[in-house]
Amino acid sequence: MTAFADTQFLAAGTVGNPAANIAIFGIFVVITMVVVIRASRNNRTAADYFTGGRGFSGPQNGVAIAGDYLSAASFLGIAGAIAVYGYDGFLYSIGFLVAWLVALLLVAEMLRNTGKFTMADVLSFRLQEGPVRTAAALTTLAVSLFYLLAQMAGAGGLVALLLDISDKTGQSIVIAVVGLLMIVYVLVGGMKGTTWVQIIKAALLITGAALMTVMVFAKFGFNFSDILGSAQDAVSGSANKGVAARDVLAPGAQYGGSSTSKLNFVSLGLALVLGTAGLPHVLMRFYTVPTAKEARRSVVWAIGLIGAFYLFTLVLGYGAAAIVGPDRILAAAGGQNSAAPLLAFELGGVVLLGIISAVAFATILAVVAGLTITASASFAHDIYASVIKKGQVDEDKQVRVSRITAVIIGVLAIGLGILANGQNVAFLVALAFAVAAAANLPTIVFSLFWKRFNTTGALFSMYGGLISTIVLIVFSPAVSGTKSAMIPGSDFDWFPLSNPGIVSIPLAFALGALGTFLGGRKQENPAKASEMEVRSLTGVGAEKAVVH
């Protein structure tokens, strides 16, 4: 998962003007804070705070989903992976994009029709509410925390390159500032404010990538073949060991060789493609639109924007290889993650680098805000209101508990981010996707499509998927046994793959089926199953939904 979330490897050695970088980011913070404060004036109910009052159109929500999904690690890491590994690096982009087809075809419309605020609303609709909501909330918190930790740790590394802050204390302060800004966004703006931050950030990120893409094309006479040829020449002429022999225009530069390496890629791809449809912070966005039709439109818009962005990364990656060169990229403080900033500096000097730097910071800020409100809403709505209070709690109290939870999660993320700064936490995002694919997706699919599915099956699937994924990751090369492992000095890896998706995802589906048969036929209410089927397919009974 190195190409996706290893911004934490960035270290000292800046490019451009740190003052310009931070000034442009400061402007973004001021503008978005004004937007968040204005949006918060309409936060009167729990639906306003958790789902933005279901008042966003499909296109608006599609842009926000793109903002939620396109992290800074994705921008920096994928461009760098393509610059160094070429074809194999672009396979990450393909995996992320194909994943949205699964989300569109399997979950978007049905989830919107069946739920209210969180993923657990769907999973507990016809099952025993207490145990299922608790399990769903735990998997949501696990996915959110791993994803959040990687982003926070990445912020510290990104700062090292762009602001020339090489000491751990300075980086820790910046991580704390990012965390505090995130908490303010969530407390003040709720889902409405967070959504507008996502929309602004997505527009900036996609516009910035598009601008750099056009500039790269202009340098090569708008001939993509010339870009590819120059990139291959740069890699072939590289003196860096392991790069010179690679063909960046053909598969195998990163995932060739041993059968384990190829299997590892299949496992990672499986987790990425199936994990997206189980990411709680992405699923929660389907509740911010008024109808199922708008939910489908939002996914179509997201696919278009995300697809365009990943096509831009193809040009940026090969452009960085051709213009900057793999030697310089790998020798820079951030390794392959420095490809996009170095390319920006070559194309537009200090100004463009400052803009791209600000966009990268804004991206981290927006993603962590989205993750925080998802995790806090899940605790307040699923555990506090539904399990602890048995539904006997007013909406104001739910929102208050959610805000308190957001502060606790934010403080926890700051502390863990500071502790993880400088370590290899790349596997955390892969783990988030793997947990989402193993613990969430099987239960969602079974709940929506299998009438006989019951509470025992749901608990087997969610807990089995969560535990098996974490155990296999702990004993994988991602944690120990390799130079890039989180604990490089130790060696207790007995599971050969860095991502356990190829084992844990089928296992979770199998456990769901096994638990269902062990639980027996009389465990659930058949009427509830029929009601869920009608509601999920037609929207009848869903809040503000209409029949299409």
Side-chain angles (χ1 to χ4, degrees):
M1 196 62 186
T2 306
F4 178 58
D6 49 0
T7 50
Q8 70 280 357
F9 292 130
L10 295 166
T14 188
V15 288
N17 188 327
N21 297 344
I22 198 67
I24 296 172
F25 176 61
I27 293 170
F28 168 84
V29 171
V30 171
I31 293 173
T32 52
M33 197 62 73
V34 170
V35 171
V36 165
I37 291 171
R38 287 178 65 87
S40 69
R41 294 175 183 172
N42 297 320
N43 278 342
R44 296 186 180 89
T45 66
D48 288 331
Y49 185 79
F50 292 137
T51 64
R54 304 182 193 275
F56 289 96
S57 67
Q60 285 176 331
N61 194 46
V63 177
I65 288 174
D68 238 344
Y69 195 65
L70 298 172
S71 68
S74 177
F75 174 46
L76 299 173
I78 290 177
I82 294 171
V84 176
Y85 298 110
Y87 184 98
D88 280 14
F90 187 55
L91 292 175
Y92 282 90
S93 300
I94 299 299
F96 292 137
L97 184 57
V98 170
W100 279 103
L101 296 177
V102 179
L104 174 62
L105 297 173
L106 281 183
V107 301
E109 179 181 356
M110 291 183 170
L111 202 75
R112 165 62 189 79
N113 286 342
T114 313
K116 184 178 180 183
F117 292 152
T118 65
M119 176 186 72
D121 289 335
V122 178
L123 303 185
S124 64
F125 188 93
R126 62 184 180 90
L127 306 178
Q128 293 175 21
E129 192 168 14
V132 173
R133 279 194 184 274
T134 302
L138 287 174
T139 61
T140 295
L141 290 170
V143 173
S144 299
L145 189 61
F146 290 128
Y147 214 129
L148 197 59
L149 177 53
Q151 296 295 326
M152 296 293 286
L158 185 62
V159 161
L161 179 70
L162 302 176
L163 301 185
D164 198 18
I165 300 176
S166 57
D167 62 290
K168 292 289 184 183
T169 303
Q171 292 177 22
S172 299
I173 292 172
V174 173
I175 290 174
V177 169
V178 169
L180 290 173
L181 285 172
M182 165 193 76
I183 292 170
V184 171
Y185 281 147
V186 173
L187 291 184
V188 175
M191 180 57 87
K192 265 185 187 168
T194 301
T195 298
W196 281 112
V197 172
Q198 301 283 17
I199 290 172
I200 294 169
K201 164 254 169 161
L204 287 174
L205 181 62
I206 294 170
T207 301
L211 175 63
M212 288 178 63
T213 298
V214 171
M215 294 175 77
V216 170
F217 266 122
K219 262 190 173 296
F220 291 90
F222 293 92
N223 188 326
F224 189 54
S225 294
D226 285 352
I227 299 175
L228 296 178
S230 298
Q232 181 59 52
D233 291 342
V235 172
S236 298
S238 172
N240 195 293
K241 289 183 179 179
V243 175
R246 288 175 180 167
D247 181 358
V248 295
L249 303 182
Q254 185 177 9
Y255 292 104
S258 69
S259 57
T260 300
S261 178
K262 294 174 182 175
L263 192 62
N264 197 46
F265 174 71
V266 173
S267 183
L268 175 62
L270 192 64
L272 297 182
V273 169
L274 298 180
T276 297
L279 288 175
H281 68 290
V282 171
L283 297 178
M284 195 169 172
R285 297 229 60 89
F286 298 140
Y287 300 127
T288 64
V289 292
T291 66
K293 180 181 178 181
E294 293 299 307
R296 291 196 304 272
R297 287 184 69 201
S298 65
V299 177
V300 172
W301 270 80
I303 289 173
L305 293 171
I306 293 167
F309 175 80
Y310 284 136
L311 286 177
F312 294 154
T313 61
L314 181 65
V315 177
L316 297 180
Y318 279 117
I323 296 170
V324 181
D327 272 350
R328 188 175 162 201
I329 291 170
L330 291 172
Q336 68 185 47
N337 298 288
S338 62
L342 289 173
L343 178 62
F345 187 63
E346 289 294 327
L347 293 172
V350 172
V351 175
L352 184 58
L353 175 66
I355 293 171
I356 296 302
S357 304
V359 168
F361 278 118
T363 300
I364 289 175
L365 203 54
V367 170
V368 295
L371 288 164
T372 302
I373 193 167
T374 299
S376 62
S378 181
F379 179 83
H381 180 63
D382 297 326
I383 293 182
Y384 177 77
S386 300
V387 177
I388 297 176
K389 293 294 186 179
K390 308 292 184 185
Q392 304 300 311
V393 61
D394 59 55
E395 290 190 343
D396 289 341
K397 184 69 173 178
Q398 274 193 68
V399 172
R400 198 176 311 125
V401 170
S402 178
R403 284 179 165 144
I404 294 170
T405 307
V407 173
I408 294 171
I409 291 171
V411 171
L412 184 64
I414 290 170
L416 293 175
I418 290 171
L419 289 175
N421 187 27
Q423 295 187 49
N424 177 5
V425 293
F427 75 96
L428 288 172
V429 172
L431 181 55
F433 272 77
V435 170
N440 293 341
L441 185 63
T443 310
I444 291 172
V445 172
F446 282 147
S447 294
L448 292 172
F449 296 102
W450 190 16
K451 283 187 177 181
R452 187 175 172 181
F453 190 58
N454 56 32
T455 300
T456 304
L459 297 179
F460 269 45
S461 180
M462 284 190 280
Y463 285 124
L466 177 65
I467 294 169
S468 64
T469 302
I470 292 176
V471 168
L472 292 178
I473 277 285
V474 167
F475 294 102
S476 76
V479 176
S480 70
T482 62
K483 290 181 180 179
S484 61
M486 186 178 182
I487 312 173
S490 302
D491 187 2
F492 47 84
D493 64 312
W494 50 261
F495 184 69
L497 305 179
S498 296
N499 192 290
I502 200 168
V503 174
S504 61
I505 297 172
L507 177 63
F509 274 101
L511 287 173
L514 176 63
T516 298
F517 290 119
L518 291 177
R521 287 181 176 273
K522 296 182 180 180
Q523 193 173 19
E524 314 302 337
N525 185 348
K528 274 286 189 181
S530 299
E531 181 187 347
M532 183 175 184
E533 183 179 22
V534 172
R535 181 181 291 195
S536 65
L537 292 174
T538 66
V540 173
E543 185 178 351
K544 295 187 183 178
V546 296
V547 181
H548 302 294

